[in-house]
């Protein structure tokens, strides 16, 4: 008789390990996890919204064109004078090119953007009585407006649900392994199938907010992220709360830390300063 009352056979130690989220996941499992992510994002970013200042569909269309390769903050600095100078589509159509170029110069690529705005104004006058149409099929035919821009306009000016696939959106849905698609249109359809249509616009805002404030491109704040338990890419950035908290950005950075169970005092004061999208 051996020690411990065994018959000589070695005891086997069974180690139970949990698989990371997304591993060998069924379609239904992915959809359920996606819905959980959506709910957590809603709690994490109650302030999510379109960060381009506008008061109507024309202003939003112009602002989205200007936002290409430019921060929303810079666009918002330029548009008050621009909107005052050109209040209608006809005003854009008849604008002096040189004057418009000077007004929008700070947004970069101002010559190409001026060309798009002049042509947009003329197209709206010629084809839509000077009004921005409220259908995707019509919007994507307009100068300077692609599918991403069209969805921004539909969701925020017409209250028509749309998914905005920008660089933040693409990065995050790939990190969450919600889709392997790389084409923006295919990403839009793949993610749209996981959520109720009514949620598409706000989901886009929340994902973009999360990408700007928490899940950064180079170094995401994994250790201070409310989605840590749902994210297959957890560990891409620092998992130590002290290091991760220093990566949080935006006016609600300390609130984000609290939501993730991290001491808000670990967030540097400069991180709470108004963000540059």
């Amino acid at each position: 008789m051996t020690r411990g009352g065994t018959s000589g056979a070695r005891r086997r130690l069974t180690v139970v390990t949990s698989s990371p989220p997304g591993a060998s996941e069924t379609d239904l499992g992915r959809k359920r996890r996606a819905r959980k992510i959506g709910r957590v994002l809603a709690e994490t970013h109650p302030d999510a919204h379109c960060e381009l200042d506008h008061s109507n569909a024309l202003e939003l269309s112009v602002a989205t064109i200007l936002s290409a390769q430019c921060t929303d903050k810079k666009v918002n600095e330029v548009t008050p004078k621009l909107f005052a100078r050109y209040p209608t589509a006809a005003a854009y159509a008849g604008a002096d090119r040189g004057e418009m170029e000077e007004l929008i110069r700070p947004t970069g690529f101002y010559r190409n953007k001026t060309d798009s705005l002049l042509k947009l104004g003329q197209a709206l006058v010629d084809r839509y009585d000077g009004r921005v149409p409220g259908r995707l099929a019509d919007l994507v035919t307009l100068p300077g407006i692609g599918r991403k821009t069209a969805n921004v306009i539909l969701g925020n000016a017409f209250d028509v649900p749309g998914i905005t696939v920008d660089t933040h959106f693409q990065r995050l849905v790939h990190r969450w392994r919600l889709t392997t698609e790389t084409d923006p249109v295919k990403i839009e359809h793949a993610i749209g199938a996981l959520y109720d249509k009514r949620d598409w616009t706000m989901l886009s805002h929340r994902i973009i907010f999360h990408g700007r404030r928490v899940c950064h491109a180079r170094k995401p704040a994994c250790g201070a992220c409310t989605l840590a338990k749902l994210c297959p890419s957890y560990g891409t950035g620092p998992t130590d709360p002290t290091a991760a908290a220093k990566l949080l950005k935006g006016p609600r950075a300390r609130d984000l830390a609290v939501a993730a169970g991290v001491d808000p005092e670990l967030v540097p004061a400069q991180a709470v300063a108004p963000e540059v999208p």
Side-chain angles (χ1 to χ4, degrees):
M1 198 77 170
T2 59
R3 185 179 300 174
T6 66
S7 60
R10 290 180 178 272
R11 290 180 177 175
R12 293 182 180 179
L13 178 63
T14 301
V15 178
V16 179
T17 59
S18 59
S19 299
S24 303
E25 194 170 41
T26 64
D27 290 342
L28 178 58
R30 183 178 301 106
K31 188 168 188 176
R32 286 175 174 170
R33 184 166 59 88
R35 297 291 181 93
K36 289 179 182 177
I37 288 173
R39 290 193 292 271
V40 174
L41 286 174
E43 295 172 357
T44 305
H45 304 288
D47 58 330
H49 62 280
C50 177
E51 295 187 293
L52 291 170
D53 295 340
H54 65 281
S55 60
N56 56 54
L58 177 61
E59 290 182 356
L60 182 56
S61 301
V62 170
T64 53
I65 289 175
L66 296 181
S67 69
Q69 304 298 312
C70 181
T71 67
D72 291 354
K73 181 176 183 292
K74 179 59 66 176
V75 172
N76 290 338
E77 291 173 358
V78 168
T79 50
K81 288 183 179 179
L82 186 72
F83 293 163
R85 181 69 181 86
Y86 309 107
T88 65
Y92 283 98
D96 176 79
R97 176 181 290 273
E99 181 183 4
M100 182 176 289
E101 285 183 353
E102 285 305 306
L103 282 173
I104 69 171
R105 182 187 291 267
T107 68
F109 302 96
Y110 61 93
R111 290 192 176 92
N112 288 339
K113 291 177 181 179
T114 294
D115 193 54
S116 293
L117 294 181
L118 294 174
K119 291 179 178 178
L120 172 65
Q122 193 62 57
L124 291 175
V125 169
D126 292 343
R127 292 152 49 191
Y128 299 104
D129 295 322
R131 297 180 179 179
V132 176
R135 295 195 318 146
L136 180 65
D138 294 326
L139 285 169
V140 295
T141 68
L142 294 170
I145 296 181
R147 190 179 181 93
K148 180 183 76 173
T149 299
N151 277 324
V152 172
I153 296 167
L154 288 174
N156 296 282
F158 293 99
D159 203 24
V160 175
I163 290 177
T164 303
V165 183
D166 73 348
T167 55
H168 297 290
F169 193 101
Q170 291 188 51
R171 180 175 73 254
L172 269 61
V173 297
H174 285 154
R175 281 182 175 167
W176 298 332
R177 295 182 195 166
L178 297 183
T179 181
T180 58
E181 299 290 356
T182 56
D183 177 76
V185 176
K186 291 182 179 179
I187 291 174
E188 178 187 334
H189 292 315
I191 301 304
L194 298 174
Y195 295 91
D196 290 334
K197 187 174 182 179
R198 65 175 182 270
D199 297 328
W200 287 356
T201 300
M202 284 308 303
L203 174 72
S204 299
H205 290 321
R206 290 164 184 154
I207 290 178
I208 291 170
F209 262 51
H210 202 69
R212 288 174 172 171
R213 300 179 174 192
V214 182
C215 195
H216 313 297
R218 294 185 179 178
K219 190 183 289 186
C222 292
C225 178
T226 54
L227 295 173
K229 294 181 180 179
L230 297 167
C231 181
S233 300
Y234 178 76
T236 301
T239 58
D240 175 64
T242 301
K246 295 177 181 178
L247 299 173
L248 297 174
K249 303 293 182 184
R252 293 187 63 254
R254 287 180 175 151
D255 293 329
L256 297 176
V258 171
V262 174
D263 183 356
E265 294 303 317
L266 295 173
V267 178
Q270 61 266 30
V272 187
E275 67 179 326
V276 178

